[in-house]
Amino acid sequence: MTHNDAARARAHELLLPALREAARRRARDAGPDSVVVQVIRDPLEADQGDRFDLVVAVDAPVKDRVRRLRAGKGLLAEDAWDRVDVAAGPEEIRAVADEVIVNDGDLHGLRERSREIWRDHVLPALGRDQDTEGHRHD
């Protein structure tokens, strides 16, 4: 679908209603005092950014994204660059995201940034000043 706008639009038309209903069902099942995290590959492309209380985007330098696509998906360099070229850029991502995690370091840095966002946005929304022991949020 990367190079075919019509195919991408049709896939969104067919898949997004089912994905939205699944998300609503998970939220209902989790209950009102829960936090539901939903990973959306591209909230800009899927026109999803305004449907959530908090949008956290993960961005990485272009060369890192290409390297990860090649290593993780076994793509040829040209195909990886094509995918990165058609994806939303940092300015577009920052326009829709409430917070951005830049994935250019190690796992420790990602965890720390995630915990900051949890502390600054999620806990206040739950009416808590600080994290409590016994809650799993990694």
Side-chain angles (χ1 to χ4, degrees), residues 30-137:
D33 293 329
S34 298
V35 174
V36 177
V37 176
Q38 182 168 342
V39 176
I40 299 175
R41 184 180 159 271
D42 189 344
L44 290 167
E45 183 177 310
D47 193 25
Q48 295 288 301
D50 62 346
R51 296 180 181 269
F52 298 96
D53 296 323
L54 176 67
V55 175
V56 179
V58 180
D59 192 20
V62 173
K63 288 182 180 180
D64 289 345
R65 292 166 54 199
V66 168
R67 181 181 48 76
R68 290 173 185 152
L69 281 169
R70 294 191 68 203
K73 297 198 181 280
L75 294 178
L76 298 173
E78 183 177 333
D79 293 333
W81 279 104
D82 283 347
R83 280 199 186 183
V84 168
D85 286 343
V86 299
E91 298 82 23
E92 295 170 297
I93 290 169
R94 291 177 197 287
V96 74
D98 299 300
E99 293 286 342
V100 176
I101 297 173
V102 179
N103 186 5
D104 62 353
D106 60 11
L107 189 55
H108 175 74
L110 289 174
R111 281 192 180 125
E112 285 303 311
R113 183 68 178 117
S114 298
R115 287 184 175 119
E116 287 173 12
I117 292 169
W118 183 266
R119 182 190 65 236
D120 295 345
H121 294 283
V122 177
L123 290 177
L126 293 173
R128 298 182 190 150
D129 292 331
Q130 54 186 310
D131 202 358
T132 56
E133 291 297 320
H135 287 19
R136 187 171 166 249
H137 54 65

Side-chain angles (χ1 to χ4, degrees), residues 16-26 28:
L16 286 179
L19 293 173
R20 287 182 186 134
E21 180 51 37
R24 283 191 286 273
R25 185 177 60 251
R26 282 193 298 274
R28 281 192 307 271

